Amino acid sequence: MSGDEDSSPDATEPPATDSTGPIEPTTSSESLVLTYFAPFLGVLLIAAGLPLAIAGGYVVVQDGIGLCGSPSITAEPVADGETPPATIETLPAGELSPAERAALEEAIESPLQEAKVDGELANRGALLEGVLVEYEGDRFYVQITSQNSCLEVAPLLFPIGVIGILMGVVGVLTPPIYRKMAGFEERIQGERTE
């Protein structure tokens, strides 16, 4: 046998390439569903699953890492000659809850004049409107600036979102997996007929 005979292709095997590149033996038998619909549906499932997984995961961890539940207050000093409007309520510092008092002291000392209320918020309604608080001879305009309320969604969204993402990945990978499996099956059938 010469070297040319060894390199000639077997007549029973389909050619692996043509002038345009590699030939996949299953190209003519692939359905439109596997080629176009499955990846499109997969992309839609991924797009829907991402926000569900993010929101559901955030709900699970938000309280544990202190991202919600503690409103912020500001304490702006009122100048001596300044007269606040008559509609603003005055609240003595003695009527503040311990958590509100601690937050007020922290806000007074803070350069940003802001602090979080960690604990009972007994005067929520008044603080939402804004009140004058007399503290150690000075007057401060105190108001809730951020309620930092917790996001209220079902924690079940996280596993639903993850399942949607995984199903979407399977949908996107369906055509290449199908081509590989069909090509493998055709090669095995070709070997059996020899």
Side-chain angles (χ1 to χ4, degrees):
M1 288 188 159
S2 67
D4 292 337
E5 291 176 8
D6 291 343
S7 64
S8 64
D10 188 356
T12 60
E13 292 183 20
T17 60
D18 65 1
S19 62
T20 61
I23 297 176
E24 294 182 357
T26 59
T27 303
S28 61
S29 65
E30 272 187 27
S31 70
L32 293 174
V33 171
L34 289 175
T35 305
Y36 299 108
F37 183 71
F40 178 72
L41 183 62
V43 169
L44 289 180
L45 284 171
I46 291 171
L50 279 173
L52 293 177
I54 291 170
Y58 179 75
V59 165
V60 171
V61 300
Q62 68 181 344
D63 198 29
I65 58 177
L67 297 174
C68 68
S70 301
S72 298
I73 63 167
T74 58
E76 298 176 13
V78 177
D80 288 335
E82 189 176 341
T83 306
T87 57
I88 296 179
E89 183 182 334
T90 301
L91 184 68
E95 292 184 16
L96 295 174
S97 69
E100 292 169 343
R101 181 184 282 271
L104 175 64
E105 292 169 355
E106 185 181 339
I108 291 170
E109 294 174 6
S110 169
L112 298 175
Q113 299 175 339
E114 187 171 334
K116 283 188 175 182
V117 181
D118 292 322
E120 181 190 2
L121 197 62
N123 299 297
R124 179 182 294 270
L127 291 173
L128 280 172
E129 297 293 323
V131 293
L132 282 175
V133 177
E134 297 177 5
Y135 181 75
E136 294 182 353
D138 294 324
R139 294 184 306 165
F140 296 92
Y141 180 70
V142 181
Q143 184 176 22
I144 292 177
T145 55
S146 173
Q147 295 196 50
N148 294 332
S149 55
C150 295
L151 181 63
E152 297 287 333
V153 295
L156 192 59
L157 288 182
F158 179 72
I160 291 172
V162 170
I163 290 169
I165 292 169
L166 293 176
M167 289 176 60
V169 169
V170 169
V172 169
L173 295 178
T174 296
I177 292 171
Y178 175 75
R179 286 187 207 114
K180 294 274 187 197
M181 296 300 288
F184 179 70
E185 183 180 341
E186 287 181 10
R187 273 187 257 123
I188 288 180
Q189 287 178 355
E191 290 174 2
R192 286 183 185 166
T193 57
E194 290 178 357

